[in-house]
Amino acid sequence: MDHASLAKLLTPDGWALLNALPPYDEKLAMAVSERLRAKGFEQDMVAAALTQSRLRGKAAAKFGPFVEGMLFTQAGLEQATRLVVGARHAQRYLAAGVDRVVDLTCGVGADAMAFAGVDLRVLATEIDEVTAAVATVNLRAFPEATVRHADGLALDLAAEGFTGPGAGIYADPARRTRSGKRIVDPKAYAPALDDVWDLRSQVPAVGIKVGPGISHNGLPDDCEAQWVSVDGDVVEAGLWFGPLAPDGHGRTALLLRTVDERTDARTFRADEHTEAPPRAVERVADIGSYLYEPDGAVIRAGLVADASRLLDGRLLDRTIAYVTTDTPHAETSTVPIATGYRILDSMPFGLKKLRGYLRERDVGRVTIKKRGTAVTPEHLRSQLALRGSAEATIVLTRVAGSQQILVVEPLDRTARSHPPAPDVTE
């Protein structure tokens, strides 16, 4: 979005047009555009409104009904924190005794909205002028929030009143280039990660959102690094310093599950009292009756060994994030740390044998999960050329170093609350 498009949308006619549009449908967009122009609306205004309608449609998964009053940029939407996660961020600041937050890189204002929504005073800065204007629109209902077009790192925090007791800092550095390519090196974030966490010398309560692929190596020793999943999808990681990490340092996983508009949360952390290495199967014959795939946030946080101990299981392979058990895990939480399957069969990897096995059972649709193998699900599916009416789930993985195929079915409880995910890779 450019300045001219934003200006047209913010006129009374432009805003009314945007909010009167039907839900965006790519197939109907051209016809809607032609109809609106025939009614006398300017082409640029129509194009801007349709673009925002499309972005609102995509944003609904993150913001729910709040999208109806929001504006977005494409890049800002891609990086914006989901509402359910932003609420957890805000609660963390409240619990730490913070009453005012500087959001150094506010983007379209997602986290700033969450902070202001719990009555924190917010100064939100954004270095891109159009994005700052969009954030201003999105935060218009919160008088305690101020948006400023500025470089957040250039702020004089003391002069702005954001040092001392009750002050907090939050940042969500840009992790994509202008062309949209993902930035992996934290030193290439905008701003660089080192520059942001250096601010903890001025304000101890510092929180930084980072990409979930961030390496464990090089993380500061004085932070809690937390990976977050929403309904099984790993969405971000966060680095929390000072009073924002009240339970200590190290790596944790936050698992959020939403059922019937209610979101339950579970924080999983390493067992600090256990130093014994996880058990692992020594041969294929040691495969148990059940298979558990830890939540992606647990895997990213490097807590698979701890999950294995909690499940009273053993790793299929010391380098693979699958756990096998002899009995089903008696889950007491509404948010399980792993998806469970009953193992129906196992066999060494071989295309001909697998094809024959599935055809004998009239399987025509197969969910393929994999870890520790170079086989691609799409290629394997085409090679299988199945025609049956039944469904099956297979797992391609290593067991004690041997390439194996496990035929599994979701456990009843898991199947009801979390259907098996589509094809996944490592």
Side-chain angles (χ1 to χ4, degrees), residues 73-85:
T73 65
Q74 181 65 48
L77 173 57
E78 290 176 355
Q79 186 155 328
T81 300
R82 299 181 186 217
L83 184 64
V84 67
V85 181

Side-chain angles (χ1 to χ4, degrees), residues 99-117:
D99 57 29
R100 58 197 187 280
V101 179
V102 177
D103 186 343
L104 298 177
T105 53
C106 73
V108 298
D111 278 294
M113 289 172 61
F115 296 146

Side-chain angles (χ1 to χ4, degrees), residues 15 40-41 84 111 119 147 196 240 275 360 363 383:
W15 193 253
F41 288 100
V84 67
D111 278 294
D119 297 326
V147 180
V196 179
W240 305 100
E275 296 183 359
E360 286 177 5
V363 172
Q383 290 181 307

